Amino acid sequence: MKCGKPVQSEEQEYCDDCAKHTLAFEQGRSVWLHTGVVPQAIYRFKFHNKRYYAGVFAQEIAEQYGDWMRAMRIEVIIPVPLHSSKRRNRGFNQAELLAKELSVRTGIPIETNAVVRVKKTRPQKRLDYQGRQRNLQGAFGVTKIWKTKKTILLVDDIYTTGNTIHRLAKVLKKAGTQKVYFLTISIGQGL
């Protein structure tokens, strides 16, 4: 398993999505499948200013994957950035809130100024796989002030097709990072 999606059999190394595409990150995990009450909770977190949900989600992530994070030797946690206009409209970056709470619970430092979203992109949820790829081309950049780390953890709310994490991992690896892992609150199924 590379992204954390379920595989069909014990012999299968990667889920169907990861087997189809070459991805720049090493692997990742998600706490829940994006079903049931999970999408509603994430929606309230992002769009109804339920910022305190970040602590609840981070606690679950730390409990389930704290040992995994230590085994991967994560040096720093980096939240997936929002474009400045979207952050201004929403008032916060949900990935950053989640990453800060995860940092508190694990003792792994967070760096919020490592990467930026330099291109305003359309919402990914309305695009197919190819559309998501095109939408994110040239969307991210590493800041000049960031000192490269060998092993980093990207944190976001939802893993759907992996395009966002993939694009960020490519940018970070081009800047000198050796290994990129990710953690999200939820992961889609067969999207």
Side-chain angles (χ1 to χ4, degrees):
M1 209 166 20
K2 186 168 183 161
C3 70
K5 286 188 182 181
V7 293
Q8 303 304 315
S9 69
E10 288 185 29
E11 295 81 31
Q12 188 178 355
E13 186 173 0
Y14 298 116
C15 77
D16 292 338
D17 284 350
C18 292
K20 288 181 208 170
H21 311 288
T22 301
L23 300 169
F25 56 85
E26 276 51 51
Q27 60 177 274
R29 303 284 186 270
S30 297
V31 177
W32 296 291
L33 291 175
H34 199 69
T35 61
V37 298
V38 174
Q40 296 163 4
I42 293 173
Y43 184 82
R44 285 191 297 271
F45 174 43
K46 289 170 71 167
F47 302 112
H48 289 279
N49 204 24
K50 301 293 185 189
R51 297 179 194 204
Y52 67 92
Y53 281 23
V56 175
F57 293 141
Q59 186 63 38
E60 285 294 321
I61 292 171
E63 285 176 11
Q64 288 191 38
Y65 298 117
D67 290 341
W68 176 79
M69 291 170 67
R70 286 182 281 286
M72 297 302 111
R73 299 181 182 192
I74 303 298
E75 294 176 74
V76 67
I77 299 169
I78 297 175
V80 171
L82 286 179
H83 189 268
S84 58
S85 63
K86 188 176 275 189
R87 185 182 181 119
R88 226 178 358 265
N89 287 340
R90 189 174 297 162
F92 63 96
N93 174 354
Q94 73 280 358
E96 185 175 318
L97 293 178
L98 182 63
K100 284 179 179 179
E101 292 289 340
L102 188 58
S103 175
V104 168
R105 284 158 177 77
T106 63
I108 299 171
I110 180 175
E111 293 188 8
T112 59
N113 296 318
V115 291
V116 292
R117 193 175 291 243
V118 294
K119 175 181 149 188
K120 188 175 180 180
T121 56
R122 294 176 25 212
Q124 292 283 90
K125 64 183 174 183
R126 295 188 178 101
L127 303 173
D128 64 8
Y129 187 83
Q130 287 77 24
R132 288 170 186 238
Q133 283 187 310
R134 284 189 302 273
N135 192 40
L136 290 173
Q137 285 179 338
F140 301 106
V142 174
T143 62
K144 292 178 182 177
I145 60 168
W146 187 60
K147 294 188 182 349
T148 303
K149 304 292 187 289
K150 289 182 189 176
T151 307
I152 63 110
L153 176 73
L154 292 173
V155 170
D156 204 3
D157 53 355
I158 306 166
Y159 180 103
T160 307
T161 62
N163 279 307
T164 302
I165 301 295
H166 169 69
R167 291 287 176 186
L168 272 168
K170 282 181 77 167
V171 166
L172 287 161
K173 285 186 172 184
K174 188 175 181 182
T177 296
Q178 293 175 9
K179 293 184 178 182
V180 178
Y181 298 91
F182 77 83
L183 283 171
T184 62
I185 299 165
S186 72
I187 191 163
Q189 301 180 80
L191 300 171

